[in-house]
Amino acid sequence: MFTHSRTKALSSLAWSVAPYHDCEYIEAWKYTKVVCRFCFSIVLYTEDTNLLLGLFNPSRSLRLQDSKIEEWLAQEGQYAIPTHSFLDTKVEGGIRLIISEREYYRTPSFSMSKESYLRVEEHFNLPQATLHGLTNESGLCSRFLDYDEKIPGKLSRIGIIIKACQKYQIGNYGLSMSHDFATGITTGILHGTGVMINRNDFPAWRHCPSVEIFDLISAVPHLWDHPMLLPTILLQHHVYRTEHFCTIQLGDRANHLQDQLGMSRAGRLNGLRGPYEVPAADRPIKDTKVNLHNLTGEMNTVIIEMIGFTHVSNWECDALDFLSRTMDEVAESRNLGPQTGTKEIRECIEYLDSAAKGLRGHNINQRDRVQADFNVLCTLIAQIDNRLTAKMAATSSRDSSAMKTLAFITTLFLPGTSVATVFSTGFFNWQSASPPRLLSPYFWIYWAFTIPLTLLVALSWRLWWAWEKQHLDQDVLLEIENIEDSAASVSLNKGKEKLRGKGELKSLWQALRRRPVKKGEMEKET
């Protein structure tokens, strides 16, 4: 079922991406009768010395280079199973985990070559959906079961793929593993961003995930042969990190924003007295806008982070439920009793499930709290905008009053100005000493030009106003028609879908009616 997606992924992924050409590996071996707490090996990358430390045997190769992967898979030479003179019993189980760094986000990359990955996939009997699952972004959990051909219902091998949600603050990694019940050995590949080395984009964690996962593995040597140990440890690591980040990192950011807002006194702040602080205070308008803009951006960022980590908590709950169901199926198929460590792992899964559910409630509560603060901030911004609008309205009112005063004074002087203008023309002779006529006989020319021009100006203004109003009404009607047409098209499409559904049902019914009825079916109906 996954052959096509696997082939496509092999050709589209980036392989042997610099600077991480090397891989890491974790090995833990459990022996019969005696459990050697020190029979493990891990290769770690250190930033300070750029050296690889072999924690079990200092003489081991300090790097698992790409060219050495085949030798490591065959357990030859320096990669052979560790033996000691005081251990005369055989291996009854263990863990072999290879770790690959993901340098690119898109396209996803591996620090090993394509040929090395194919050898790992074949030798470890990894599920075909490994590449598709490890490059998933939203998180997934899946299992693949192989049953014994001789004994029906008995598992011979189980494969599990777990890919965490794409959150760099917690750990963007995925695990694909396979457990052979005949040998008790769990093999797998751990792939993700920052699994081999701490990144600078979020330096909150002291160690990279490979070191922390190794510590969790080394703490339970009696469970090294259990098929559910690796996926349980992976989710344990993810839940621990999520809990720390959400309760400490995001919680402190939310509290700091609430303190900046200064509009809440819930919880331990209930005892505070006095007026509430306002983010704007008495700052100038420019500084107020900058402060509120920054506060809005920070609060929106925290809300988005809360939404994302609520999804992470939901995925963790689903993944732990998946592990619980898988554990029940494995225990029932293989008759795994409490002495095999099943009880301890089951209790760990139940504890992690309870912690994940509590963390999900915490994230939802934090998200709602910050959303409430964001609504308060929006109200404060609206109030400040209203105050600014009121100030602008008052200023405009003062300007309008001044203009009214000027218009009133101009109106008072307008009659006198008009009269003085007319009397200053040549139609009146005020300097004549003789008694000829004071008014010129050509005074009618003034009225002959003034009256038509006044009527022409008034008529032109009226025509322009009628044209402008007509176009405004047309624009309004056009917008109304567009809204009505869009609503009608939506309803028409819905009606067509209903009619299409009815037509399909009708055609199906007609086809059933036209289908010839066999004699046996007719007897059954009768």
Side-chain angles (χ1 to χ4, degrees):
M1 294 296 292
F2 298 96
T3 304
H4 176 71
S5 60
R6 175 179 174 275
T7 305
K8 186 177 180 181
L10 283 172
S11 60
S12 61
L13 297 179
W15 303 95
S16 299
V17 176
Y20 308 105
H21 291 295
D22 301 327
C23 296
E24 300 178 3
Y25 70 90
I26 297 176
E27 288 182 350
W29 300 103
K30 183 178 179 181
Y31 297 87
T32 57
K33 298 182 180 179
V34 180
V35 176
C36 181
R37 295 181 59 87
F38 304 99
C39 293
F40 55 82
S41 61
I42 183 172
V43 179
L44 303 175
Y45 183 83
T46 58
E47 298 181 21
D48 299 333
T49 59
N50 293 331
L51 295 177
L52 298 173
L53 305 177
L55 298 183
F56 170 68
N57 189 354
S59 64
R60 287 180 179 271
S61 175
L62 298 179
R63 287 177 183 251
L64 183 59
Q65 299 178 353
D66 187 74
S67 59
K68 297 290 185 179
I69 290 180
E70 187 171 2
E71 184 179 354
W72 176 75
L73 291 174
Q75 297 177 319
E76 298 176 349
Q78 59 184 340
Y79 302 110
I81 299 177
T83 58
H84 292 269
S85 58
F86 62 87
L87 289 177
D88 56 354
T89 54
K90 65 177 182 179
V91 173
E92 68 173 10
I95 296 173
R96 301 192 71 198
L97 182 67
I98 187 170
I99 304 171
S100 177
E101 180 70 23
R102 175 177 175 174
E103 175 65 17
Y104 298 160
Y105 172 62
R106 290 184 180 171
T107 308
S109 62
F110 281 77
S111 58
M112 65 176 69
S113 64
K114 183 193 299 186
E115 293 75 16
S116 297
Y117 170 78
L118 292 175
R119 289 194 291 269
V120 170
E121 184 185 58
E122 180 182 3
H123 193 274
F124 283 175
N125 292 308
L126 298 178
Q128 282 191 340
T130 295
L131 288 179
H132 191 269
L134 293 180
T135 55
N136 182 273
E137 298 181 1
S138 57
L140 63 83
C141 297
S142 181
R143 66 173 178 261
F144 305 86
L145 307 176
D146 292 337
Y147 290 92
D148 196 335
E149 297 179 356
K150 298 180 180 179
I151 305 176
K154 185 177 182 180
L155 286 173
S156 61
R157 181 182 297 275
I158 181 173
I160 296 178
I161 299 177
I162 296 180
K163 176 60 175 67
C165 295
Q166 198 90 0
K167 285 296 181 181
Y168 76 97
Q169 300 97 328
I170 304 300
N172 176 26
Y173 49 64
L175 170 70
S176 177
M177 54 148 284
S178 175
H179 180 84
D180 189 351
F181 289 97
T183 61
I185 297 177
T186 301
T187 55
I189 178 172
L190 179 66
H191 169 259
T193 305
V195 292
M196 293 169 50
I197 184 173
N198 279 335
R199 301 259 180 166
N200 294 326
D201 49 3
F202 191 73
W205 312 112
R206 296 181 59 184
H207 302 291
C208 56
S210 62
V211 177
E212 296 174 346
I213 291 175
F214 166 73
D215 292 337
L216 293 173
I217 292 175
S218 61
V220 286
H222 58 289
L223 300 176
W224 287 348
D225 61 338
H226 201 282
M228 301 301 297
L229 177 62
L230 264 186
T232 303
I233 283 180
L234 187 76
L235 280 173
Q236 184 181 17
H237 177 263
H238 196 272
V239 170
Y240 285 173
R241 278 198 168 192
T242 306
E243 185 176 14
H244 176 81
F245 179 81
C246 292
T247 57
I248 304 301
Q249 302 282 341
L250 278 183
D252 289 347
R253 289 175 62 184
N255 292 332
H256 177 67
L257 290 175
Q258 197 172 50
D259 182 66
Q260 281 187 297
L261 188 62
M263 298 300 293
S264 176
R265 292 177 180 176
R268 296 185 179 181
L269 300 178
N270 191 29
L272 296 178
R273 296 292 183 269
Y276 286 91
E277 298 180 2
V278 180
D282 296 330
R283 300 181 182 182
I285 294 178
K286 183 178 180 180
D287 295 343
T288 299
K289 290 183 176 179
V290 172
N291 183 43
L292 293 177
H293 178 77
N294 294 335
L295 189 58
T296 303
E298 293 176 4
M299 195 166 291
N300 183 64
T301 302
V302 173
I303 291 175
I304 294 175
E305 291 282 8
M306 292 292 184
I307 294 173
F309 280 96
T310 301
H311 171 68
V312 171
S313 299
N314 291 330
W315 173 83
E316 289 176 343
C317 293
D318 295 338
L320 289 165
D321 181 66
F322 162 81
L323 282 189
S324 180
R325 289 184 281 107
T326 305
M327 168 70 80
D328 294 339
E329 188 171 354
V330 170
E332 181 180 357
S333 175
R334 299 295 305 187
N335 295 322
L336 300 179
Q339 66 277 6
T340 60
T342 301
K343 178 177 178 296
E344 184 176 351
I345 294 181
R346 192 190 302 276
E347 290 173 349
C348 180
I349 293 175
E350 291 177 355
Y351 171 81
L352 293 175
D353 183 61
S354 177
K357 289 178 180 177
L359 186 60
R360 177 174 59 184
H362 170 80
N363 289 337
I364 294 174
N365 178 54
Q366 287 281 77
R367 181 195 63 190
D368 295 341
R369 182 167 69 95
V370 178
Q371 183 64 51
D373 292 336
F374 187 77
N375 294 336
V376 172
L377 178 62
C378 292
T379 303
L380 290 176
I381 294 175
Q383 291 178 357
I384 294 173
D385 289 341
N386 291 336
R387 293 176 183 175
L388 294 176
T389 304
K391 291 181 180 180
M392 294 176 62
T395 304
S396 178
S397 178
R398 288 194 297 269
D399 295 342
S400 178
S401 300
M403 293 301 297
K404 288 180 180 179
T405 303
L406 292 175
F408 178 73
I409 294 174
T410 303
T411 303
L412 291 178
F413 286 95
L414 183 60
T417 304
S418 301
V419 171
T421 302
V422 173
F423 283 172
S424 64
T425 61
F427 295 109
F428 294 91
N429 186 10
W430 303 100
Q431 303 297 330
S432 176
S434 59
R437 295 168 52 180
L438 179 63
L439 182 62
S440 172
Y442 302 103
F443 184 62
W444 63 271
I445 298 175
Y446 170 79
W447 295 110
F449 279 93
T450 300
I451 293 175
L453 285 175
T454 302
L455 295 176
L456 180 62
V457 170
L459 181 61
S460 300
W461 174 83
R462 180 57 184 171
L463 292 175
W464 173 83
W465 176 252
W467 179 84
E468 188 71 20
K469 185 175 181 300
Q470 182 180 3
H471 279 268
L472 179 62
D473 294 339
Q474 290 178 356
D475 293 338
V476 172
L477 291 175
L478 183 61
E479 291 295 330
I480 294 174
E481 290 177 359
N482 291 334
I483 295 173
E484 292 178 351
D485 291 341
S486 61
S489 62
V490 171
S491 61
L492 181 60
N493 291 333
K494 291 182 178 180
K496 287 182 178 179
E497 292 178 358
K498 292 181 179 179
L499 291 175
R500 189 182 300 113
K502 293 181 179 179
E504 292 176 356
L505 291 176
K506 185 177 180 181
S507 60
L508 179 60
W509 172 248
Q510 292 177 354
L512 290 174
R513 292 184 63 183
R514 288 195 301 266
R515 183 176 65 88
V517 180
K518 297 181 180 179
K519 184 177 181 180
E521 296 179 357
M522 186 179 299
E523 291 176 355
K524 291 181 180 180
E525 292 178 0
T526 55

